[in-house]
Amino acid sequence: MVGEPLVEMQTVEQLKASRVGTAPHMPDIPEEERRTIIHSSLDRHYRNLLYQPIPMLGNKSPRAAANTAKGRVRVVDWLK
């Protein structure tokens, strides 16, 4: 039941042409409202990240790690 794989060669231009009109429909949301939604989502994500254990910080949350001088250095390295 196993045979030769089906391989189809396409150029970048052919691939781009085959995808025309397949982009997901964007709802008609005003730009300001869209920006607000995106920023609030990112804010929520990064605020929640402060309380999650990070392996690079010894499985401590960034808030817990920042309580010590050595931990603050590790948090700075993690952020970079």
Side-chain angles (χ1 to χ4, degrees):
M1 300 201 102
V2 177
E4 289 292 320
L6 178 61
V7 177
E8 182 179 327
M9 302 290 283
Q10 288 185 336
T11 65
V12 174
E13 290 77 22
Q14 290 171 330
L15 184 61
K16 285 181 180 179
S18 69
R19 293 185 179 222
V20 172
T22 60
H25 174 69
M26 293 294 291
D28 294 331
I29 299 175
E31 183 63 31
E32 186 62 35
E33 187 175 347
R34 188 177 327 177
R35 187 177 294 120
T36 301
I37 291 169
I38 291 170
H39 282 274
S40 65
S41 175
L42 288 173
D43 285 345
R44 192 171 43 253
H45 169 74
Y46 288 118
R47 286 182 194 277
N48 289 336
L49 189 62
L50 293 174
Y51 298 99
Q52 296 179 9
I54 307 295
M56 187 175 170
L57 301 176
N59 286 324
K60 293 182 180 179
S61 71
R63 282 206 186 264
N67 287 333
T68 64
K70 184 178 177 182
R72 282 190 289 278
V73 171
R74 294 176 84 182
V75 170
V76 169
D77 289 340
W78 171 69
L79 288 171
K80 288 181 181 179

